[in-house]
């Protein structure tokens, strides 16, 4: 069982906001994904943002803090620092994470982990709700191939994961530490080896997920048949112990070959994203396409952007003209869309509970 809901959605815990949305009320998002830095110290072959060219754009700390304060007041519940590049390359990343948590917003970090050293672990683990390392290999050779970096980085990340777990456990910080493994032709033979390693280290979970083509990545065209690897779901159970869980995202893999059961993207009022240049977009699928930006946090406050004419125009286009089949397969909002579509389009027997 996926106790973290990684292969599901969590709108069922936000019924009042869902109810307002059903009534046609303009709600504020629950979740925001924020890119802190456009550059990256890796060149992963699977990177969704490859076509943005890793420009070293930096989100301004002062404007971001003003935005975070307003977001908290508007009812935003969580922020993930991830985005176009490696967030730990932002010089103020530690200060930003601490500030976000102290503002009353749950905060998480997704990273390749090379720069999440002992000092950052000591400072940040107490403030993070969860921390996820992108690892994608069980040995340095495969890691270097997939992450487009030197072999040494694998050993650095492994050391940083071990240190993070040790510090989290020593001080009993309430931070979930996970590792992500994107299942690819280049690493598919290393899943079991990594599961054993992560179980020994003591992370909370290893998530095994499929690759989903993003419009900003033209690098991978693998035609990978994930059905051949469904047998791994049962075999992974032998590596689970002492609270360590393996989340095999079979549902996401199956959806890659399905038609979407909804005609419109309904989830966008509940989430949004901000680029390293301060532009607010409906989701990261639209990053870099200025015509889809709601506004910019350097020029307007959150309330004005969210209630502005530009957002209304963009959302109108997405709802009325965008073909959801052209969007990313099994995207982060897919399960939310399925849930909301069913709420909007119930069958005739819903009273027979």
């Amino acid at each position: 069982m996926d106790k973290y809901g990684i292969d599901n959605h969590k709108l069922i815990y936000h019924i009042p906001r869902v109810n307002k949305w059903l009534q046609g009320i303009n709600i504020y998002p629950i979740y925001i994904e924020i890119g802190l830095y456009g550059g990256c110290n890796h060149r992963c072959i699977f990177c969704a943002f490859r076509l943005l060219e890793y420009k070293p754009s930096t989100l301004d700390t002062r404007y971001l803090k003003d935005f975070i304060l307003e977001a908290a007041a508007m009812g935003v519940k969580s922020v993930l620092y991830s985005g176009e590049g490696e967030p730990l390359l932002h010089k103020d990343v530690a200060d930003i994470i601490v500030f976000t948590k102290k503002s009353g917003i749950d905060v998480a970090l997704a990273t390749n982990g090379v720069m999440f050293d002992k000092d950052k672990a000591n400072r940040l683990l107490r403030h993070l709700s969860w921390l996820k390392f992108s690892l994608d290999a069980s040995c340095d050779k495969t890691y270097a191939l997939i992450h487009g970096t030197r072999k040494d980085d694998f050993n650095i990340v492994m050391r940083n994961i071990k240190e993070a777990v040790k510090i989290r456990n020593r001080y009993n910080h309430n931070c979930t530490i996970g590792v992500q493994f994107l299942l690819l032709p280049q690493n598919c033979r290393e899943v079991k080896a990594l599961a054993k390693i992560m179980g020994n280290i003591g992370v909370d979970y290893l998530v095994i997920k499929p690759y989903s083509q993003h419009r900003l990545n033209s690098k991978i065209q693998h035609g990978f048949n994930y059905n051949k690897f469904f047998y791994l779901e049962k075999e992974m159970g032998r590596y689970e112990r002492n609270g360590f869980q393996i989340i095999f995202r079979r549902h996401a893999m199956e959806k890659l070959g399905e038609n979407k059961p909804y005609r419109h993207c309904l989830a966008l009022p509940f989430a949004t994203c901000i680029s390293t240049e301060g532009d607010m977009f409906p989701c990261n699928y639209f990053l870099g396409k200025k015509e889809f930006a709601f506004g910019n946090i350097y020029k307007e406050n959150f309330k004005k952007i969210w209630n502005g004419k530009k957002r209304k125009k963009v959302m109108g286009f997405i709802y009325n003209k965008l073909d959801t089949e052209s969007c990313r397969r099994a995207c982060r909002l897919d399960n939310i869309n399925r849930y909301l579509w069913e709420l909007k389009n119930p069958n005739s027997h819903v009273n027979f509970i």
Side-chain angles (χ1 to χ4, degrees):
M1 180 180 176
D2 174 9
K3 67 180 181 182
Y4 303 107
I6 292 174
D7 207 19
N8 206 328
H9 73 89
K10 305 179 185 78
L11 274 192
I12 56 173
Y13 302 108
H14 302 277
I15 296 301
R17 206 167 311 200
V18 173
N19 190 45
K20 286 182 179 179
W21 173 80
L22 282 170
Q23 295 174 49
I25 298 172
N26 183 33
I27 61 168
Y28 283 93
I30 295 168
Y31 164 86
I32 302 178
E33 184 173 322
I34 299 178
L36 290 179
Y37 192 77
C40 192
N41 50 350
H42 285 184
R43 292 293 183 269
C44 301
I45 60 174
F46 58 78
C47 180
F49 308 114
R50 177 174 293 275
L51 294 186
L52 293 179
E53 299 178 340
Y54 307 105
K55 298 172 184 176
S57 51
T58 304
L59 193 60
D60 186 276
T61 302
R62 179 169 58 90
Y63 282 97
L64 176 58
K65 285 184 174 181
D66 288 343
F67 173 82
I68 289 297
L69 290 175
E70 190 183 6
M74 295 296 106
V76 170
K77 300 294 185 183
S78 64
V79 165
L80 168 63
Y81 288 115
S82 179
E84 303 105 289
E86 170 52 51
L88 292 178
L89 286 169
H90 193 293
K91 64 182 179 63
D92 297 326
V93 61
D95 181 41
I96 288 169
I97 288 173
V98 173
F99 181 87
T100 303
K101 182 60 178 179
K102 289 184 177 179
S103 298
I105 296 177
D106 291 338
V107 57
L109 175 69
T111 175
N112 60 41
V114 174
M115 299 178 68
F116 198 84
D117 55 21
K118 185 176 181 179
D119 288 340
K120 285 191 174 65
N122 273 312
R123 185 172 182 191
L124 296 180
L125 286 173
R126 71 189 67 195
H127 301 285
L128 291 168
S129 293
W130 55 264
L131 165 68
K132 184 163 63 181
F133 294 89
S134 179
L135 198 53
D136 312 298
S138 66
C139 71
D140 57 3
K141 182 179 179 181
T142 306
Y143 181 84
L145 172 68
I146 292 176
H147 279 249
T149 188
R150 54 181 188 151
K151 291 182 180 179
D152 239 18
D153 277 1
F154 177 79
N155 299 316
I156 292 171
V157 175
M158 293 296 288
R159 183 170 65 245
N160 288 345
I161 294 173
K162 291 176 184 176
E163 195 63 47
V165 170
K166 187 188 303 182
I167 292 170
R168 190 274 308 270
N169 293 346
R170 181 188 304 150
Y171 297 104
N172 199 28
H173 295 317
N174 190 26
C175 175
T176 300
I177 299 176
V179 169
Q180 178 173 290
F181 186 97
L182 192 65
L183 191 61
L184 298 168
Q186 294 88 342
N187 64 10
C188 59
R189 301 178 192 279
E190 299 186 21
V191 180
K192 297 177 184 178
L194 186 63
K196 185 176 181 180
I197 293 169
M198 289 300 109
N200 290 334
I201 289 176
V203 300
D204 295 295
Y205 68 84
L206 169 67
V207 59
I208 302 163
K209 62 179 285 188
Y211 171 77
S212 175
Q213 184 76 37
H214 193 288
R215 69 172 187 86
L216 290 173
N217 184 8
S218 59
K219 184 77 171 180
I220 292 184
Q221 297 288 344
H222 59 69
F224 202 37
N225 181 8
Y226 283 103
N227 294 347
K228 295 192 302 183
F229 294 92
F230 286 170
Y231 73 92
L232 287 171
E233 186 174 20
K234 286 186 177 180
E235 292 194 8
M236 289 296 99
R238 72 178 69 172
Y239 301 102
E240 294 183 322
R241 61 184 181 280
N242 301 324
F244 170 60
Q245 183 179 9
I246 298 175
I247 301 163
F248 187 87
R249 295 192 60 185
R250 176 169 178 160
H251 189 211
M253 295 176 189
E254 291 172 333
K255 288 189 295 183
L256 291 176
E258 296 178 0
N259 290 326
K260 295 177 180 177
Y262 48 88
R263 292 196 297 273
H264 309 296
C265 185
L266 304 177
L268 296 178
F270 296 90
T272 192
C273 73
I274 296 174
S275 74
T276 57
E277 296 178 342
D279 291 316
M280 184 181 295
F281 289 96
C283 70
N284 67 30
Y285 187 76
F286 296 99
L287 282 175
K289 300 187 77 173
K290 293 281 188 178
E291 64 270 28
F292 287 98
F294 298 154
N296 188 286
I297 66 171
Y298 297 163
K299 301 175 182 178
E300 300 173 298
N301 62 34
F302 185 21
K303 187 174 183 179
K304 191 170 182 180
I305 293 172
W306 198 254
N307 297 305
K309 292 181 180 179
K310 182 68 184 296
R311 177 174 175 265
K312 186 176 181 180
K313 180 181 177 182
V314 171
M315 292 295 288
F317 172 84
I318 291 172
Y319 187 80
N320 295 308
K321 296 183 179 180
L322 181 70
D323 180 7
T324 56
E325 288 299 326
S326 69
C327 288
R328 192 175 188 179
R329 312 301 299 178
C331 79
R332 181 172 294 172
L333 300 178
D334 182 76
N335 284 322
I336 297 176
N337 271 314
R338 291 168 184 255
Y339 170 67
L340 294 176
W341 184 261
E342 194 170 350
L343 285 179
K344 279 278 193 178
N345 302 274
N347 67 59
S348 58
H349 298 157
V350 296
N351 291 333
F352 294 88
I353 60 173

